[in-house]
Amino acid sequence: GAVVSQHPSRVICKSGTSVKIECRSLDFQATTMFWYRQFPKQSLMLMATSNEGSKATYEQGVEKDKFLINHASLTLSTLTVTSAHPEDSSFYICSARGGLGLSPTDTQYFGPGTRLTVL
Amino acid sequence: DAKTTQPTSMDCAEGRAANLPCNHSTISGNEYVYWYRQIHSQGPQYIIHGLKNNETNEMASLIITEDRKSSTLILPHATLRDTAVYYCIVQETSGSRLTFGEGTQLTVNP
């Protein structure tokens, strides 16, 4: 299957600072990328959907000014957690989907995740 | 999105087949069934998907009932590395959102 990478894999930061997480599709062009968040012992929750070159669509309850998403190219999307607080500590996972996005069978491939700890 | 129901947990002996069931009784005619798995502290891994017909790849087989209201993921020879949470997801037709439920925790025992 296709490969999606994330960087960093783990980050610890102080409260009030901003953290940027990168998501890259390594061997395909990702027309759409997704960002998920997963708290301990819970399932994945979709935060936002981003299409290359356009603004991200955020899920209800996700603050777009706090979680800045940029999808500037077909292989890179970034999530910036601004003014991070301890409650933002979580496992952040991106996924990428290739194709034209016209078919529901376009498969999403996931990155390995980024563990964020805010002190 | 059509809702799916999976058992919370299952156990399987190493080397034996693991059969993971999923109910999706409200699935609509053009919705696909996707299976992903998540090994602890990793991102989900795509396994297989199907619409009507049974599907097989190098990882698993997917058996979908004729009425499409349920499906079974089969790992033919489970290994310890197959221990993971397995998610059955029905893909909505108008987009590509994946809505993850709680999944099934499969534990493969030696």
Side-chain angles (χ1 to χ4, degrees):
Chain A
V3 181
V4 176
S5 69
Q6 278 184 246
H7 178 80
S9 59
R10 184 181 297 267
V11 57
I12 301 173
C13 69
K14 293 182 179 180
S15 184
T17 61
S18 294
V19 175
K20 179 184 285 188
I21 303 170
E22 291 186 350
C23 177
R24 294 181 184 274
S25 56
L26 298 185
D27 52 4
F28 68 102
Q29 292 186 325
T31 52
T32 305
M33 287 185 168
F34 304 83
W35 287 95
Y36 295 80
R37 181 167 53 180
Q38 186 175 33
F39 292 107
K41 299 188 185 301
Q42 294 185 22
S43 190
L44 284 78
M45 291 182 59
L46 180 65
M47 298 175 67
T49 302
S50 73
N51 293 294
E52 185 263 338
S54 60
K55 290 184 178 180
T57 302
Y58 290 81
E59 295 299 301
Q60 192 172 10
V62 178
E63 300 175 57
K64 63 179 181 181
D65 294 330
K66 181 171 183 60
F67 299 99
L68 302 179
I69 293 172
N70 183 282
H71 190 169
S73 78
L74 286 173
T75 59
L76 173 65
S77 176
T78 60
L79 168 68
T80 301
V81 183
T82 62
S83 187
H85 288 90
E87 56 266 30
D88 298 322
S89 297
S90 188
F91 192 49
Y92 291 86
I93 309 168
C94 71
S95 70
R97 187 195 70 197
L100 298 176
L102 301 177
S103 169
T105 66
D106 290 338
T107 302
Q108 283 186 43
Y109 295 97
F110 286 79
T114 296
R115 178 77 56 190
L116 171 64
T117 302
V118 185
L119 302 177
Chain B
D1 294 340
K3 182 177 170 58
T4 62
T5 304
Q6 299 177 253
T8 302
S9 63
M10 293 183 64
D11 284 89
C12 175
E14 187 178 19
R16 304 297 292 268
N19 297 286
L20 292 92
C22 179
N23 287 320
H24 31 78
S25 59
T26 61
I27 191 170
S28 60
N30 52 355
E31 288 183 307
Y32 286 72
V33 180
Y34 278 78
W35 283 84
Y36 284 80
R37 73 180 182 183
Q38 185 178 25
I39 296 170
H40 184 62
S41 294
Q42 297 182 22
Q45 178 188 23
Y46 166 77
I47 301 173
I48 199 167
H49 73 278
L51 181 63
K52 294 180 183 178
N53 299 320
N54 298 336
E55 302 288 343
T56 295
N57 62 20
E58 64 278 5
M59 290 184 67
S61 294
L62 174 60
I63 308 298
I64 302 175
T65 57
E66 192 169 344
D67 63 9
R68 302 209 326 122
K69 292 184 177 182
S70 65
S71 60
T72 301
L73 179 74
I74 301 173
L75 307 179
H77 305 286
T79 70
L80 299 179
R81 286 177 293 182
D82 292 322
T83 293
V85 178
Y86 286 76
Y87 296 98
C88 167
I89 302 168
V90 172
Q91 174 121 348
E92 68 177 36
T93 56
S94 60
S96 57
R97 298 163 52 95
L98 291 177
T99 302
F100 285 80
E102 299 306 314
T104 296
Q105 171 66 61
L106 174 69
T107 302
V108 181
N109 300 305

